[in-house]
Amino acid sequence: MEASNSRMQTFGQTEINWDKLDKTKFYVVGAGIFTGVTVALYPVSVVKTRLQVASKDTAERSAFSVIRGILKTDGIPGLYRGFGTVITGAIPARVIFLTALETTKVAAFSMVEPFKFSEPTQAAIANGIAGMTASLFAQAVFVPIDVISQKLMVQGYSGHAKYNGGLDVARKVLKSDGIRGLYRGFGLSVMTYSPSSAVWWASYGSSQRVIWRFLGQGTDLKEVAPSLSTIVAVQAAGGIIAGATASCITTPLDTIKTRLQATLFEG
């Protein structure tokens, strides 16, 4: 019992529960960090999406050749096609995701605690349930944004139609197929991102605990809280492990989903 309390106490030093979280800072800082990361990585999404929907005559082109083509025809702004739409919709989707994630995680930990699993196993199950649930909620907002942004990313490329911004895309999709058109690929998105989110958060939560144990943390009631740099390093390592694990599931289905969302209702 004391050993269990020790583990709870130690991991409590490296994690902040939802009831103790400063919600204002959580959402404001989280939105800021998310926006910054999106700005940095968005060109990668544009290039990836173009490669995924390329026709046979351009399928062999490399990422570098796609970048050169974008810069030649549209300059730097070409690498950020659809960015405004993504930010407008992705921030509320992210808020929904994080809220559902943290609240579900608390409930999931309480649910699995009576089974007396090991700490990494408890973390994997609770985080996995929370990640999957959060993804399900977020997809309701994110899928229409994803459909619009992907059409903007590939407009004029490899035979795809051109648009006058996100509203023009939404108007044409609604005219062609109604609200259902904005949810094109919703089922596949859920199939792609919900298991991926579950695997990511399960791997992230459990791998951190394995690393902490490897470092000797969580075995002594008298041990002091780890330094901030150590916490950041362990969380970063957990993120790398989680990302590598989840990508094995996400990539094939993501390619199919992108083709489905970006290639229909053209013209």
Side-chain angles (χ1 to χ4, degrees), residues 40 56 118 121 152 162 236 241 260:
K56 290 183 178 180
S118 65
T121 302
L152 291 173
K162 292 185 178 182
I241 294 171
L260 180 64

Side-chain angles (χ1 to χ4, degrees), residues 12 59 70 118 137 154 169 184 222 226 231 242 247:
I70 292 174
S118 65
F137 279 102
V154 302
V169 175
R184 176 66 58 179
K222 297 181 180 179
I231 293 174
S247 65

Side-chain angles (χ1 to χ4, degrees), residues 13-207:
Q13 294 172 330
T14 64
E15 295 183 357
I16 301 176
N17 292 331
W18 178 251
D19 58 343
K20 297 179 181 179
L21 197 65
D22 185 326
K23 309 298 192 300
T24 301
K25 290 183 179 179
F26 178 69
Y27 288 124
V28 172
V29 174
I33 293 174
F34 175 69
T35 301
V37 172
T38 303
V39 170
L41 298 181
Y42 194 80
V44 177
S45 296
V46 173
V47 173
K48 181 199 71 170
T49 300
R50 290 201 173 199
L51 286 173
Q52 287 177 332
V53 302
S55 58
K56 290 183 178 180
D57 58 329
T58 56
E60 299 302 322
R61 297 178 66 184
S62 67
F64 292 109
S65 65
V66 171
I67 293 173
R68 283 197 301 268
I70 292 174
L71 292 176
K72 182 178 179 180
T73 57
D74 300 309
I76 295 295
L79 294 173
Y80 285 89
R81 285 190 178 277
F83 179 77
T85 300
V86 168
I87 286 298
T88 300
I91 289 180
R94 192 68 175 174
V95 168
I96 293 171
F97 180 90
L98 292 174
T99 302
L101 176 75
E102 295 298 333
T103 53
T104 306
K105 191 189 301 181
V106 173
F109 264 111
S110 299
M111 183 180 69
V112 301
E113 190 175 2
F115 293 97
K116 306 299 180 183
F117 294 126
S118 65
E119 184 71 25
T121 302
Q122 284 188 30
I125 295 173
N127 280 274
I129 292 172
M132 178 173 287
T133 303
S135 181
L136 286 171
F137 279 102
Q139 290 307 310
V141 176
F142 188 72
V143 168
I145 300 302
D146 205 24
V147 169
I148 294 171
S149 66
Q150 286 178 352
K151 286 181 177 294
L152 291 173
M153 286 180 188
V154 302
Q155 64 174 325
Y157 173 74
S158 191
H160 291 275
K162 292 185 178 182
Y163 302 95
N164 295 316
L167 291 178
D168 185 40
V169 175
R171 181 180 60 80
K172 289 182 177 178
V173 171
L174 288 171
K175 183 179 179 180
S176 299
D177 203 51
I179 192 67
R180 187 176 64 179
L182 291 177
Y183 281 89
R184 176 66 58 179
F186 178 79
L188 197 54
S189 290
V190 170
M191 289 173 59
T192 300
Y193 293 123
S194 291
S196 173
S197 180
V199 171
W200 197 99
W201 286 101
S203 301
Y204 180 68
S206 60
S207 62

